[in-house]
Amino acid sequence: MNPSDLYARLRETVLAALREIVPDLPAEIAARVEITPTRDQAHGDMATNAAMVAAKAARQPPAKIAAALVKHLTAAPDIASAEAAGPGFVNLRLRPDAFRAILPAILRDGESWGDATIGAGTRINVEYVSANPTGPMHIGHCRGAVVGDALANLLIKAGYGVTKEYYINDAGAQVTALAWAAYWRYLQAIGSPITEQMFASEVPGGLQYKGEYLADVGRALGERYQASLATPDLGIAPPELWLNAVKDLTIAAMMTEIREDLRRLGVQQDAFTSERALVASGAADAVIDKLRADGLIYQGVLEPPKGKAPEDWEPRPQTLFQATRFGDDVDRPLRKSDGSNTYFANDIGYHADKVARGYDVLIDVLGADHGGYVSRIKAAVRAISADAVKLEAVLCQIVHIVKAGQPVRMSKRAGSYVTLRDLLDEVGKDAVRFTMLTRKADAQMEFDLDQVLATTRENPVFYVQYAHARCRSVLRAATGMFPGHGLADSDLAETALNTLTGEPELALMRRLALWPRTVESAAIAREPHRIAFFLYDLAADFHMLWNRGKDDATLRFLRPDQPAETRARLALVAATAIVIRSGLAVMGVTPVEEMR
């Protein structure tokens, strides 16, 4: 337990009291005891469910245990009063010193205050983005990138050992289609007389990728290979003469662009794994052989699915994985009719590779359209790891971009969608990242370009950044007003805080006290959007105190005639700025020193 985590400390106090009342309290019952903030300040600062969760084990009514808890808890040093409420809750009101005591801890620990240990070094692989390298990153990729990156940062802060990973889907039909599209741009670059219509008629499945982003790839191919990839009359050469070379250069070019987009978004992943490389290494075939050796592969014919048939269903004998033994709805095919692996087979090979690398938990951040895919890959991970590794999925819903109340749909460069680069050019990294985290990942959202540029409370990123900028402006002004007084965080940590008695000041300290608990709960739930909500509420409490100071001189931060009171308030302001920076770091958002 972190001694500066007020909620964790109070939970230990409650558990100690509960064990006095129920001496043989089972560990599983103790684990369910919670300390939560009250919804209404009139009911106190915190509440506990201890009496209710212990009632059955104690064979006593919750009200009787609650009454006994009240007697024990009123003697605790941090607790001013305790009161039984409802069906067995106990509401607690804390002494102001309990909240004041967190300020020195924040000032000494800095942005590491709130770090948790619940991860206990558990090794987690967070795979996110993993966009097909067939074009520029778009808004759908953006949400997954931000959610995945913030989740990884959150898990690191909670004590997990995290690897951030990108799986490059550079095998399969979509990459072949991309190579054909790049080859068309190559022919254009070398001056081929072939028209687009003529070329498209020769392409298996038609010309699929027509965005201008491939024009540079075509020119690069022309510079490297001159006319050697075409026929003597600059026509279409047999694919076996050019397909692999064009694939290699095109994928490399697309991944360079994707990495640059991610860099601009503030995303830097630790590992990039290629599907092509895994297939070439035989990883998928090896895991299929292992599953066969374990008796989990058989030849069979799947029943026709109800409703619309999925692409991987064929009414023929197939190589099937017994996914139903591991919680899936149906068994899953691993080979196509031409004998090649299904995408699912390759994906099993990839997840087997991650399992072999020694991770305890795998988290896949996926688009909501992949929701139906989750059960089969969970089944595969259970099978290949003998239930030792857990797979979790975080689904990200679609994002709609609007401006002036109207949907924004087109990109000049991509031709059919808004690219991440367009969005970053329009509003910047911080606005993109913060806004993407203002909704739960599986909820649809509108990204309003006008709102994220507004300087109002309705724009969360501005509101939080403004709170930090105000904190910093107060601290800069104090340095000029009290030269030589030692106003560094370490100095303010030694300040007497007994003058912090106003309700707005206590409200701000109550909010700060929630930060360690927020980190833990958000990490456990895999919900980084909770950090954005916390920061918005913290900013609101700070702005309220700022505004109260305009009307009430006794609440102003800087009072030259009251140096003791001023130092105490500066400690509160500096602690608030630290926690805002700590939260923004999880979100990957840069704190600003002043608003311009």
Side-chain angles (χ1 to χ4, degrees), residues 385-449:
S385 73
D387 264 344
V389 177
K390 181 182 180 183
L391 174 74
E392 303 174 15
V394 175
L395 299 180
C396 296
Q397 271 288 358
I398 195 168
V399 179
H400 302 282
I401 308 296
V402 298
K403 187 172 186 178
Q406 299 299 316
V408 178
R409 301 186 185 281
M410 304 293 286
S411 165
K412 293 179 181 178
R413 188 163 172 272
S416 59
Y417 54 83
V418 178
T419 67
L420 170 58
R421 196 167 298 182
D422 294 333
L423 188 60
L424 290 170
D425 288 343
E426 186 82 12
V427 301
K429 170 185 79 75
D430 291 338
V432 170
R433 290 190 66 122
F434 200 109
T435 304
M436 288 291 178
L437 292 168
T438 56
R439 295 286 186 280
K440 192 176 179 180
D442 61 2
Q444 290 195 17
M445 72 177 298
E446 280 194 352
F447 191 105
D448 190 322
L449 293 174

Side-chain angles (χ1 to χ4, degrees), residues 272-294:
F272 286 78
T273 301
S274 161
E275 181 184 0
R276 287 178 79 193
L278 279 175
V279 172
S281 73
D285 292 334
V287 76
I288 290 173
D289 289 343
K290 181 182 184 304
L291 291 172
R292 183 177 284 110
D294 292 340

Side-chain angles (χ1 to χ4, degrees), residues 440-520:
K440 192 176 179 180
D442 61 2
Q444 290 195 17
M445 72 177 298
E446 280 194 352
F447 191 105
D448 190 322
L449 293 174
D450 298 317
Q451 180 176 311
V452 299
L453 293 173
T455 55
T456 65
R457 178 173 180 157
E458 284 65 41
N459 177 4
V461 64
F462 166 80
Y463 196 60
V464 173
Q465 293 280 38
Y466 193 24
H468 183 266
R470 277 180 158 176
C471 289
R472 298 300 296 161
S473 71
V474 169
L475 296 169
R476 284 194 300 272
T479 301
M481 187 177 291
F482 301 98
H485 276 63
L487 299 179
D489 291 345
S490 57
D491 298 316
L492 294 174
E494 307 303 323
T495 295
L497 302 172
N498 58 302
T499 58
L500 296 176
T501 58
E503 180 51 37
E505 296 167 328
L506 290 169
L508 184 54
M509 287 184 278
R510 289 189 195 101
R511 188 73 63 189
L512 292 171
L514 282 167
W515 177 231
R517 181 179 185 274
T518 300
V519 170
E520 282 200 6

Side-chain angles (χ1 to χ4, degrees), residues 27-193:
E28 63 271 19
I29 298 298
R32 292 167 52 201
V33 172
E34 296 179 347
I35 296 288
T36 57
T38 58
R39 294 185 179 182
D40 186 343
Q41 189 60 41
H43 298 153
D45 299 307
M46 301 178 184
T48 180
N49 64 346
M52 290 188 293
V53 300
K56 186 174 181 180
R59 297 181 180 179
Q60 297 181 38
K64 183 177 180 180
I65 299 175
L69 275 173
V70 166
K71 291 181 180 178
H72 280 75
L73 293 174
T74 50
D78 287 330
I79 297 174
S81 65
E83 181 181 56
F89 283 104
V90 175
N91 292 336
L92 307 173
R93 192 173 301 280
L94 304 192
R95 300 182 191 282
D97 277 345
F99 292 108
R100 295 185 191 115
I102 69 169
L103 298 186
I106 296 171
L107 293 165
R108 293 189 186 106
D109 293 351
E111 291 170 39
S112 66
W113 189 78
D115 288 3
T117 59
I118 55 168
T122 299
R123 295 191 64 201
I124 295 186
N125 179 290
V126 184
E127 180 218 324
Y128 55 106
V129 188
S130 299
N132 295 336
T134 53
M137 289 186 64
H138 57 64
I139 302 306
H141 301 138
C142 173
R143 191 173 194 186
V146 171
V147 169
D149 203 51
L151 174 58
N153 294 341
L154 173 63
L155 292 171
I156 291 169
K157 192 168 182 67
Y160 296 87
V162 177
T163 297
K164 303 177 179 182
E165 184 151 336
Y166 186 120
Y167 181 46
I168 307 171
N169 295 126
D170 53 0
Q174 82 280 355
V175 175
T176 299
L178 175 71
W180 274 96
Y183 186 67
W184 161 239
R185 294 295 186 173
Y186 158 75
L187 292 177
Q188 285 184 311
I190 63 173
S192 172

